[in-house]
């Protein structure tokens, strides 16, 4: 197994190959480190001296959606790590974060809700997966397929499970609004 040397040894963070991060709370750099890793890692346990965080695909995708890129995550790990960081973990992080934004859900002016892909092979994999049966409509071209509006949430959940989170750019329209009190008072 190869390792990448940390930049700030001895830092407050121990990065383990199973995506677990151990943060020594009494270290003088712990608050700054916590601020960096909280953007992409989930706090699992917070006993008195060592807090345990976990790097998950969902945490990385959420960080990506918030504008963080893989280079920033890798930099944070290398900056705060006390020991060398497993190279395979840095590769996994980069790969996982690169999947965000390959698929997008958009509102098309004539087709309605659509799923588009920057990679035709990825869309083919999604369309042919039995888990998306009933969630997708007709395929428009190699990179676009219609999404059943009632299945939007389920499709997004399915795509997460398949490891291809969709960036949802379609927005929402309000289908029903109740009358405001002002409208009710003027109708008499």
């Amino acid at each position: 197994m190869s390792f990448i040397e940390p930049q700030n040894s001895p830092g407050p963070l121990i990065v383990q190959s199973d995506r677990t991060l151990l943060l020594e709370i009494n270290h003088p750099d712990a608050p700054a480190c916590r601020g960096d890793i909280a953007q992409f890692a989930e706090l699992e346990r917070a006993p008195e001296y060592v807090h345990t965080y976990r790097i998950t695909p969902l945490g990385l995708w959420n960080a990506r959606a918030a504008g963080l890129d893989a280079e920033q995550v890798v930099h944070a790990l290398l900056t705060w790590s006390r020991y060398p960081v497993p190279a395979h973990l840095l590769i996994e992080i980069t790969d996982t974060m690169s999947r965000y934004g390959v698929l997008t859900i958009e509102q098309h002016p004539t087709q309605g809700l659509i799923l588009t892909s920057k990679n035709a092979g990825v869309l083919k994999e999604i369309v042919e997966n039995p888990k998306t049966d009933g969630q997708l409509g007709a395929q428009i071209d190699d990179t676009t397929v219609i999404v059943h509006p009632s299945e939007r949430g389920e499709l997004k959940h399915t795509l997460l499970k398949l490891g291809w989170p969709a960036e949802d750019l379609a927005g929402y329209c309000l289908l029903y609004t109740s009358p405001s009190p002002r409208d009710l008072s003027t109708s008499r």
Side-chain angles (χ1 to χ4, degrees), residues 106-114 140:
E106 303 171 30
Q107 188 68 41
H108 189 275
T110 58
Q111 300 291 342
L113 218 55
I114 58 170
I140 298 169

Side-chain angles (χ1 to χ4, degrees), residues 42-155:
E42 300 171 15
L43 179 64
E44 285 191 330
R45 290 182 294 281
E48 195 170 339
Y49 299 109
V50 177
H51 290 185
T52 304
Y53 290 80
R54 179 159 313 273
I55 299 173
T56 65
L58 184 59
L60 292 172
W61 293 327
N62 284 338
R64 187 71 191 94
L68 215 62
D69 63 25
E71 187 176 315
Q72 292 168 298
V73 172
V74 167
H75 177 73
L77 295 176
L78 292 175
T79 297
W80 300 117
S81 184
R82 178 172 301 167
Y83 304 112
V85 178
H88 80 87
L89 179 61
L90 302 178
I91 293 167
E92 284 178 28
I93 288 168
T94 303
D95 178 59
T96 300
M97 292 184 81
S98 72
R99 290 172 166 251
Y100 180 82
V102 172
L103 299 174
T104 57
I105 296 175
E106 303 171 30
Q107 188 68 41
H108 189 275
T110 58
Q111 300 291 342
L113 218 55
I114 58 170
L115 177 68
T116 61
S117 177
K118 294 177 182 173
N119 181 320
V122 171
L123 188 64
K124 184 176 189 229
E125 174 188 331
I126 298 303
V127 169
E128 292 177 354
N129 193 301
K131 293 179 181 177
T132 61
D133 285 349
Q135 298 173 344
L136 299 172
Q139 191 160 351
I140 298 169
D141 58 36
D142 287 348
T143 59
T144 312
V145 64
I146 294 174
V147 175
H148 296 304
S150 64
E151 297 297 319
R152 179 181 185 175
E154 281 299 316
L155 176 63

Side-chain angles (χ1 to χ4, degrees), residues 5 8 21 24 27 31 35 37 46 53 63 69 79 88 90 120 148 158 181 187:
E5 289 297 320
N8 187 29
L21 307 177
E24 180 190 337
H27 191 284
I37 67 173
Y53 290 80
D69 63 25
T79 297
H88 80 87
L90 302 178
H148 296 304
T158 300
S187 63

